Amino acid sequence: MRDAQPQAIRLADYQPSAFSISSVTLDFDLYDERTFVKSTLNLAREGGKDVPLVLDGQELKLLSLSVDGRELNSDEYSLDPDSLTISNVPDHFELQILTEIHPETNTSLEGLYRSRTMFCTQCEAEGFRKITYYLDRPDVMSVFTVSITADSERYPVLLSNGNQIEAAPLENGRHRVVWHDPHKKPAYLFALVAGDLAHIEDSFTTASGDAVTLRIFVEPKDLNKCDFAMDALKRSMRWDEEVYGREYDLELFNIVAVDDFNMGAMENKSLNIFNTSAVLASPDVTTDQGYQRVEAIVAHEYFHNWSGNRVTCRDWFQLSLKEGFTVFRDSQFSSDMGSAAVKRIEDVTLLRTAQFAEDAGPMSHPVRPDSFIEISNFYTLTVYEKGAEVVRMLHTLLGPELFRKGSDLYFDRHDGQAVTCDDFVAAMEAVSGIDLTQFKRWYSQSGTPVVRATGSYDAEKKRYSLTLSQSCPPTPGQSVKQPFDIPVLMGLVGSRGNLSFALVDTASEQRSDTEALLRLTQAEQTFEFDDVEEQPVPALFRGFSAPVRIQADWSIDDLQRLITSEEDGFLRWDALQTLALLAVDEAISGREKAALSALIASIQAMLEQDGDRAVLATSLILPSENYIAEVHSQSQGADPIAIHTARESVKASLATALIDHFEVLANITIEGAYAPEGAAIAERALRLTALDYLRFVQPDKAADIAISLLEKSDNLTDRLGALRTLGAVGGKRAEVAFDAFYRRFADEPLVVNQWFQIQAMNPYGDALARVTRLLAHPAYDNLNPNKIRSVVGAFCSANPVQFHASSGQGYALLADVVIDLNKKNPQIAARLLAPLTKWRNYPNYAQRMKVELERIAAQENLSKDVFEVVSKSLAS
Ligand code: BES
Ligand code: ZN
């Protein structure tokens, strides 16, 4: 353990900055073995207090420091590992700082670093302080002018934010380019790129008629993989104008793809930097899911130009202000671009599987956290996905028109400001007149609320009473919770379909004959419905209208009624999932197979109907092992090996019972050349899912189909699906196919990553041995986040049966990797740790998991990132 334990930073301690910076000029002089940064700041004292100037800075070598042109002596300032303090400064002054930094040895991928042949930056959240001394906080906003000097031949392209205002060759083979960004911004939105890059260019005309030049910069070899992202960018720009009335505000918008990146992408003002995996796309390197991910991330980063850049966060506790809202916006965009039903199912599945688990674990925190040790650890599913659900609930409560009015008011009121989640809610309150005081508990209380539902029907009075009660389990630092304001979008299902009703309650809202929006605000409430013709089954939380766990004790008959007769597609799917969960539980406990029979009958009916093919494809997929484990953790605790075995047996039963259907579907032909477009995506998903069932009954036939897909198909979706099937069937043919595939795509890193991932996720055979081999593979790189995630991340978080097997060797492997990365890349090290932190969910495995956490905790020199996750996980 480190000697001085890192201290938590608290929201309650927030103070405005004692100084402002009206403008900043940065001069970068890039060399192979060092970089010089000269920063000139125009500072002004704010609030009149006679306090010293304290600038943030880390891993910097200070070369000189001057105030209003006079160089300071070493007794006029003091340095510590995280800051520079200048004790006596005037109220207005110019500060010039010269520092030396070392991007060439920066493996943390924060600040200025090298990725392959280029220089690039990542400053969010607190990376700018690794570039120069600064007030590195989002509420200090300034106008940036940036000059970059570098070798002309190796770095012909020099980029920063805003507009290029100068470019000139210099002597000795170097050149300089100057950029100016007229919009005030916090330092976390600063970016710089230097490299030998190729680009594609396009243009966009805003609704007001302004022309915008759009460029995507990549390594020359990737120039043929930019078109899809460019198209997604233009569609995002148009969509944000149409749906939110937001136009772009500069003449240039650049995207750069880099191979070494901790996250997916970053919204730096007019210079978005993307992980290659989140922007490059072609049928050979990108799956259908990959295309959808590129589209969503391009949109997300573009949307930040308003929700994040024009209006930014006051402090990092408000992170969900920009991230939750922007995830909500990108999910609306994706729904509009593709299958809305499938998008909702995917979002809810992620939320329930991973966010619910986070919120029930040692790192549980509110959407607006109260404290953190390392802010990088709070780019979480809670801030992002639950934060987006909170915005979605506002959208449900206000309806689309008022919500739009609220967002207009928010952008209008706070343009150019750094604000809080309260400001966002205040705008929604102002336009709607709805009291959102209680609603704001969604921002401050952690944990997933549980809603219990019971109903009774009075046939004589034709009256149905629905009693809903809510509770929320204790979470770290919050032992008692107040009731949430929960929007329950619902209906009633009779034997032949949805029933009309007359809602008696007035605090809630009847939205149609068959739909009401209940507002559950108390610990327990009873809602009365009149004119109900028969005993109904309640259909609760249509579209998953609130991020809660629902306990309703449905009978199998109730679930079947929901599956066949409920009008909301999300709830039909949800009932089918619940039935599948029951079938898995039956298999674990060896009970009678009532749920299994009902599940088979329901799926058979869907296969025989002429329904939406995308929804059908999703519906054939059973709840994941991780989701089942999350559900079990709420009661008896989870056993990943038992879960795997039981889920396999349910799959095998479905395969046997419905083999004729699966055989037909596994053999469908898909017309035309590859296009990542709705109908074809659904057909490919159906074919591959059917193939996965077929292998349970006819493994050889399934392998034949897989091999023919590998040979004949024109796209990565089919090829990877085929490899996955072969990996499951195993044997010599599989081995040969995997080797041949690698040889064919060895020079496409993005494909190699997915090839790694499929092997790490394969639940069959000896995955630990496979992963150990992959870690020694020549294409592996223990400093590249995409590679680490493809092998270690995939194995530990997406292959639970193997990660938890092998008498704890999976845990030891993860701990070894985390210890190795702790100093090299603390952000990635801390993120990889997540699966181990869930040790309390696995009673029979917990001890071994804990041993590895303790081994990490005992290391000297833990980074703040790893220290926070490990210490919170072990705290009782
Ligand atoms: N602002 C983030 C990127 C970021 C996060 C940088 C944490 C530094 C630290 C960006 O807008 C983002 O949220 N990216 C997501 C993708 C998005 C579609 C949710 C990512 O990178 O995964
Ligand atoms: Zn974001």
Side-chain angles (χ1 to χ4, degrees):
M1 198 72 69
R2 42 162 67 225
D3 322 316
Q5 297 214 336
Q7 292 299 302
I9 317 235
R10 277 167 221 296
L11 169 57
D13 296 338
Y14 173 81
Q15 295 284 335
S17 175
F19 292 86
S20 61
I21 306 174
S22 56
S23 66
V24 46
T25 304
L26 300 169
D27 297 301
F28 286 85
D29 217 357
L30 304 172
Y31 294 96
D32 283 345
E33 57 293 345
R34 68 183 59 85
T35 289
F36 297 106
V37 184
K38 190 173 86 190
S39 162
T40 310
L41 309 176
N42 276 302
L43 282 143
R45 190 181 294 281
E46 297 289 327
K49 285 198 219 97
D50 189 21
V51 291
L53 173 68
V54 184
L55 299 177
D56 305 296
Q58 285 172 355
E59 295 161 44
L60 304 171
K61 182 168 168 194
L62 180 64
L63 299 178
S64 81
L65 187 61
S66 61
V67 169
D68 289 329
R70 183 183 71 83
E71 178 137 7
L72 299 189
N73 302 317
S74 59
D75 61 348
E76 292 176 280
Y77 62 89
S78 65
L79 283 172
D80 75 22
D82 296 317
S83 63
L84 160 65
T85 303
I86 311 175
S87 31
N88 283 306
V89 291
D91 287 351
H92 293 266
F93 61 105
E94 187 187 272
L95 180 67
Q96 198 166 79
I97 312 165
L98 182 63
T99 49
E100 178 184 321
I101 55 177
H102 289 274
E104 70 284 355
T105 55
N106 178 355
T107 57
S108 70
L109 315 186
E110 263 192 301
L112 180 65
Y113 64 94
R114 296 201 57 128
S115 178
R116 295 162 59 95
T117 57
M118 37 178 144
F119 287 92
C120 63
T121 54
Q122 172 52 44
C123 294
E124 188 180 1
E126 297 181 336
F128 193 76
R129 61 190 62 189
K130 296 173 107 182
I131 294 175
T132 182
Y133 290 102
Y134 199 76
L135 294 170
D136 189 8
R137 43 186 290 169
D139 58 349
V140 172
M141 300 170 76
S142 186
V143 173
F144 282 66
T145 305
V146 178
S147 93
I148 312 166
T149 306
D151 184 89
S152 318
E153 227 157 74
R154 292 170 54 213
Y155 308 101
V157 175
L158 302 174
L159 305 172
S160 189
N161 317 88
N163 307 310
Q164 183 175 315
I165 55 172
E166 253 178 73
L170 303 173
E171 62 281 18
N172 51 44
R174 294 173 69 80
H175 68 144
R176 171 164 42 234
V177 173
V178 183
W179 291 83
H180 177 76
D181 179 358
H183 296 279
K184 277 184 144 220
K185 66 171 176 288
Y188 85 86
L189 291 173
F190 162 79
L192 173 155
V193 170
D196 186 1
L197 303 174
H199 72 271
I200 66 162
E201 182 170 314
D202 206 328
S203 70
F204 180 87
T205 305
T206 66
S208 305
D210 297 325
V212 184
T213 300
L214 312 174
R215 295 193 179 125
I216 300 181
F217 290 87
V218 295
E219 287 185 37
K221 68 180 171 66
D222 292 323
L223 202 58
N224 60 349
K225 307 187 189 81
C226 300
D227 293 347
F228 180 79
M230 181 64 89
D231 186 60
L233 174 61
K234 289 188 288 179
R235 284 184 282 126
S236 307
M237 295 176 84
R238 192 61 74 210
W239 186 93
D240 211 16
E241 293 185 344
E242 286 169 357
V243 180
Y244 280 86
R246 300 292 117 199
E247 290 186 19
Y248 188 61
D249 54 8
L250 283 164
E251 283 156 34
L252 182 61
F253 187 86
N254 285 328
I255 287 178
V256 179
V258 306
D259 221 38
D260 300 276
F261 203 73
N262 284 343
M263 303 285 290
M266 176 64 208
E267 71 266 24
N268 316 299
K269 186 79 187 186
S270 76
L271 180 52
N272 286 189
I273 297 183
F274 274 62
N275 190 320
T276 47
S277 78
V279 60
L280 302 181
S282 81
D284 278 338
V285 308
T286 312
T287 61
D288 290 334
Q289 272 192 323
Y291 274 96
Q292 284 167 344
R293 175 166 179 264
V294 167
E295 178 180 272
I297 301 189
V298 167
H300 177 99
E301 306 311 336
Y302 174 73
F303 296 157
H304 269 316
N305 191 53
W306 276 96
S307 49
N309 301 2
R310 290 290 288 252
V311 180
T312 195
C313 300
R314 185 191 74 172
D315 54 73
W316 291 120
F317 299 100
Q318 318 297 329
L319 180 59
S320 196
L321 174 73
K322 75 176 179 81
E323 294 302 346
F325 186 23
T326 306
V327 170
F328 174 69
R329 277 150 57 65
D330 81 57
S331 74
Q332 286 181 299
F333 170 76
S334 295
S335 309
D336 285 356
M337 295 296 130
S339 164
V342 172
K343 173 64 179 161
R344 188 65 189 141
I345 288 169
E346 287 168 356
D347 286 353
V348 173
T349 299
L350 174 66
L351 189 84
R352 280 176 169 167
T353 306
Q355 195 280 324
F356 281 17
E358 180 174 279
D359 225 351
M363 284 293 288
S364 173
H365 55 276
V367 167
R368 182 185 54 221
D370 299 311
S371 76
F372 58 75
I373 292 176
E374 169 54 62
I375 184 57
S376 299
N377 287 329
F378 286 79
Y379 286 75
T380 58
L381 290 146
T382 298
V383 165
Y384 276 67
E385 310 303 324
K386 187 178 181 180
E389 292 298 322
V390 172
V391 175
R392 190 173 188 278
M393 287 190 285
L394 288 170
H395 186 271
T396 303
L397 284 169
L398 272 70
E401 283 86 24
L402 281 176
F403 183 85
R404 167 65 194 272
K405 282 210 174 92
S407 91
D408 283 353
L409 179 63
Y410 167 73
F411 288 128
D412 193 48
R413 262 188 188 169
H414 301 298
D415 193 5
Q417 299 177 0
V419 303
T420 65
C421 299
D422 288 333
D423 293 316
F424 183 78
V425 177
M428 294 295 164
E429 225 164 13
V431 296
S432 67
I434 300 176
D435 181 357
L436 297 170
T437 316
Q438 184 183 355
F439 183 85
K440 287 208 278 187
R441 287 180 188 152
W442 284 108
Y443 287 96
S444 58
Q445 294 191 133
S446 52
T448 306
V450 180
V451 173
R452 274 200 66 80
T454 52
S456 66
Y457 181 64
D458 184 333
E460 225 149 82
K461 294 190 181 131
K462 298 197 171 166
R463 170 171 276 209
Y464 180 69
S465 311
L466 175 69
T467 300
L468 299 179
S469 63
Q470 59 164 309
S471 61
C472 183
T475 45
Q478 297 189 351
S479 46
V480 183
K481 319 279 173 149
Q482 303 302 312
F484 289 86
D485 180 350
I486 302 177
V488 187
L489 195 63
M490 52 82 66
L492 300 175
V493 192
S495 49
R496 282 179 312 278
N498 283 102
L499 300 170
S500 59
F501 57 75
L503 178 67
V504 180
D505 182 347
T506 47
S508 295
E509 186 190 335
Q510 180 132 15
R511 292 210 159 171
S512 77
D513 282 359
T514 57
E515 184 160 283
L517 181 65
L518 309 180
R519 254 179 109 172
L520 174 61
T521 55
Q522 296 157 32
E524 184 173 304
Q525 262 165 282
T526 298
F527 300 88
E528 311 275 5
F529 303 83
D530 279 346
D531 307 330
V532 178
E533 287 301 328
E534 57 175 303
Q535 163 91 48
V537 173
L540 301 173
F541 296 98
R542 284 185 173 162
F544 201 63
S545 65
V548 300
R549 296 181 198 269
I550 303 139
Q551 281 182 7
D553 296 330
W554 293 281
S555 68
I556 289 173
D557 286 348
D558 295 343
L559 291 171
Q560 281 184 304
R561 184 185 288 190
L562 288 166
I563 292 166
T564 53
S565 306
E566 159 62 8
E567 67 188 45
D568 180 57
F570 172 80
L571 284 187
R572 292 198 300 274
W573 168 84
D574 196 27
L576 190 71
Q577 288 274 297
T578 305
L579 199 53
L581 282 174
L582 291 176
V584 171
D585 288 347
E586 282 174 352
I588 289 179
S589 65
R591 260 177 291 137
E592 195 202 335
K593 311 266 192 244
L596 179 63
S597 312
L599 180 69
I600 292 171
S602 298
I603 292 185
Q604 175 159 15
M606 286 189 79
L607 287 165
E608 283 163 7
Q609 279 157 17
D610 198 17
D612 181 316
R613 303 278 279 180
V615 171
L616 174 62
T618 326
S619 301
L620 292 177
I621 296 172
L622 296 180
S624 70
E625 291 173 22
N626 281 338
Y627 179 57
I628 302 167
E630 206 287 319
V631 173
H632 287 183
S633 306
Q634 292 301 303
S635 45
Q636 76 271 30
D639 183 334
I641 295 174
I643 288 170
H644 175 76
T645 310
R647 186 177 180 275
E648 291 283 292
S649 87
V650 172
K651 269 176 93 170
S653 304
L654 278 167
T656 309
L658 304 171
I659 187 64
D660 295 347
H661 287 284
F662 292 134
E663 214 179 327
V664 171
L665 286 173
N667 281 295
I668 52 180
T669 49
I670 298 166
E671 301 296 329
Y674 176 81
E677 155 276 318
I681 293 177
E683 294 306 306
R684 279 188 289 274
L686 267 178
R687 180 164 68 184
L688 291 174
T689 305
L691 187 60
D692 190 50
Y693 279 107
L694 184 64
R695 73 173 165 82
F696 280 85
V697 185
Q698 300 172 356
D700 289 334
K701 208 179 233 175
D704 289 343
I705 295 175
I707 286 184
S708 106
L709 275 179
L710 270 173
E711 281 165 3
K712 297 191 191 115
S713 174
D714 64 351
N715 66 82
L716 187 69
T717 306
D718 289 337
R719 290 178 198 138
L720 283 190
L723 275 187
R724 200 172 296 118
T725 295
L726 285 166
V729 173
K732 191 73 198 158
R733 283 211 285 181
E735 223 175 273
V736 171
F738 272 88
D739 287 348
F741 185 90
Y742 175 73
R743 272 180 270 109
R744 184 168 165 198
F745 294 104
D747 56 1
E748 288 287 5
L750 294 176
V751 180
V752 173
N753 293 349
Q754 294 169 87
W755 177 82
F756 277 145
Q757 194 187 347
I758 280 200
Q759 295 173 76
M761 284 171 59
N762 185 350
Y764 307 100
D766 188 347
L768 188 81
R770 240 178 355 244
V771 165
T772 308
R773 268 202 309 280
L774 295 179
L775 290 173
H777 192 280
Y780 189 73
D781 173 356
N782 75 340
L783 292 175
N784 176 269
N786 290 353
K787 294 275 182 307
I788 301 168
R789 278 188 283 261
S790 298
V791 178
V792 185
F795 173 66
C796 300
S797 68
N799 194 350
V801 64
Q802 296 268 358
F803 174 61
H804 290 279
S806 323
S807 48
Q809 292 175 71
Y811 311 146
L813 180 138
L814 176 54
D816 288 343
V817 172
V818 168
I819 290 167
D820 175 55
L821 277 174
N822 167 54
K823 278 282 139 150
K824 293 177 180 152
N825 187 332
Q827 287 184 9
I828 298 293
R831 266 175 194 278
L832 281 179
L833 253 179
L836 271 184
T837 65
K838 309 218 160 39
W839 59 277
R840 285 186 179 83
N841 294 351
Y842 305 97
N844 296 330
Y845 304 74
Q847 198 46 44
R848 285 190 173 127
M849 295 173 81
K850 210 172 147 205
V851 164
E852 295 302 329
L853 281 172
E854 282 162 348
R855 180 157 73 89
I856 298 169
Q859 298 293 308
E860 306 269 328
N861 289 320
L862 280 189
S863 59
K864 276 198 211 176
D865 309 60
V866 173
F867 172 81
E868 179 168 39
V869 176
V870 169
S871 60
K872 290 184 176 174
S873 306
L874 288 170
S876 39

